[in-house]
Amino acid sequence: MESPPLPQLIVIGAAKAATTWIAHQLRTRPDVCMPGPEPHYFSREFYRGEDWYRSLFADARPGQLVAEKSADYLAHPEAAARIAALLPSVRLIAQLRNPVERAYSDYCMLFRRGQVDGDIDRHLDGRRATERRFLEDGLYGRHLRRFLDHFPAAQMKVILHDEIKRDPAAVAADVFDMLALPPQTDSARIEARVNDGASALVPLALRRLPTPVKRLAAPLRGNRLFEGARSLIARPVRYPPLSDDTRRRLADFYRDDIEQLARTLGRDLGAWTSPVQTAS
């Protein structure tokens, strides 16, 4: 029996830079096999072995482009070498967002999940932060250099988050063209936001119910009565604001790396070095 295929495309991150959006554009196409959720094979699940990884793509049909997305690959210190060893010809997509905005958005995501407290400076101030994920995942110049040590630049497409916000249809069309896929004309899908941090949530205690209870409720989602009851208790999340001082310190933290990244990409990233109002 033939082994399942391996990916021809990997979206490597960064987290909170609209990687879920591009995955949605690809996953919903009939000519693409892109299973979810993220496998994280080349990062935290590498111990599972190649057979396990291949098994994720067992449903791929002949002629489909096989792809995966794991947004932690970009920042993982070993992912680039691991990917290159198994998939030297794979195409890569890296999506980059203003690292100050990315750090705050990442913090808001974990705050929304109840995994971090409201002392935002403790998490985003480099002088105090104990969890380095929020800061170090945005050092794109360093991380991208690691990938370019293993892959030719022609195999990697770098997309800026601002480009997606400005013209998502053009970005999607450019990706499809790179992959030799027919254009996509579903404008509603292309314009749709995915993982909207502004949506209302039920109280944290209900979100922390045991998994078996959540599974029982899962079939009810979309039901009119169920959604009506949920709307009565769901509330928008009030995120701790990012202070001007912390924003400035973040901009200073990333300044040298942004300049390195700009040289690597040959792009003007000057807007990223100026503290700006951020959104989750």
Side-chain angles (χ1 to χ4, degrees):
M1 183 176 176
E2 231 180 275
S3 296
L6 287 168
Q8 301 150 279
L9 169 72
I10 300 179
V11 180
I12 60 174
K16 307 309 296 178
T19 58
T20 300
W21 173 84
I22 196 63
H24 181 68
Q25 307 310 312
L26 293 165
R27 187 174 287 128
T28 51
R29 293 183 61 111
D31 49 7
V32 175
C33 173
M34 189 176 197
E38 299 184 11
H40 301 289
Y41 172 62
F42 295 105
S43 51
R44 63 177 184 253
E45 303 294 338
F46 196 63
Y47 71 94
R48 292 180 179 271
E50 182 183 331
D51 287 345
W52 174 83
Y53 186 53
R54 281 183 179 272
S55 73
L56 303 178
F57 311 102
D59 292 335
R61 301 190 303 274
Q64 282 187 310
L65 181 135
V66 180
E68 72 122 311
K69 187 267 282 192
S70 295
D72 63 340
Y73 288 166
L74 180 63
H76 193 279
E78 298 178 76
R82 289 171 173 175
I83 294 171
L86 183 63
L87 303 169
S89 301
V90 74
R91 299 246 186 159
L92 304 169
I93 293 178
Q95 295 181 206
L96 310 179
R97 181 180 185 178
N98 181 321
V100 175
E101 294 181 1
R102 195 223 70 82
Y104 180 56
S105 181
D106 202 19
Y107 164 80
C108 287
M109 179 179 71
L110 295 196
F111 179 82
R112 181 181 175 87
R113 294 176 181 174
Q115 294 177 237
V116 296
D117 60 25
D119 185 358
I120 188 170
D121 286 349
R122 184 167 70 84
H123 299 285
L124 298 186
D125 187 336
R127 301 169 301 178
R128 302 173 56 198
T130 55
E131 169 57 72
R132 303 300 295 180
R133 150 185 176 155
F134 300 125
L135 298 175
E136 294 189 0
D137 281 15
L139 293 170
Y140 310 134
R142 177 191 302 176
H143 303 322
L144 205 63
R145 186 70 261 161
R146 192 164 53 242
F147 273 85
L148 291 173
D149 286 343
H150 293 278
F151 294 94
Q155 281 179 225
M156 178 180 294
K157 182 168 191 61
V158 177
I159 301 169
L160 301 184
H161 187 267
D162 290 342
E163 295 169 345
I164 298 173
K165 289 175 65 177
R166 184 168 58 249
D167 194 344
V171 172
D174 197 28
V175 169
F176 298 152
D177 182 64
M178 175 192 79
L179 300 172
L181 296 173
Q184 176 57 251
T185 58
D186 187 347
S187 59
R189 184 169 71 202
I190 291 172
E191 298 286 343
R193 294 187 63 180
V194 186
N195 285 354
D196 189 353
S199 58
L201 285 182
V202 299
L204 184 59
L206 292 178
R207 285 183 274 136
R208 286 180 169 170
L209 287 172
T211 299
V213 177
K214 291 181 180 178
R215 286 176 180 159
L216 289 174
L220 299 176
R221 290 175 184 164
N223 176 278
R224 184 172 58 84
L225 293 177
F226 179 86
E227 295 300 333
R230 183 185 182 281
S231 68
L232 294 176
I233 57 174
R235 296 291 182 272
V237 180
R238 294 185 178 181
Y239 298 105
L242 187 64
S243 71
D244 289 343
D245 284 345
T246 301
R247 188 179 294 115
R248 279 192 289 269
R249 283 195 292 271
L250 282 169
D252 288 342
F253 176 84
Y254 288 118
R255 192 174 308 278
D256 289 346
D257 187 79
I258 290 171
E259 291 173 357
Q260 175 190 336
L261 177 67
R263 290 191 295 270
T264 299
L265 299 180
R267 299 193 195 185
D268 180 6
L269 300 176
W272 285 8
T273 60
S274 302
V276 293
Q277 197 69 30
T278 62
S280 63

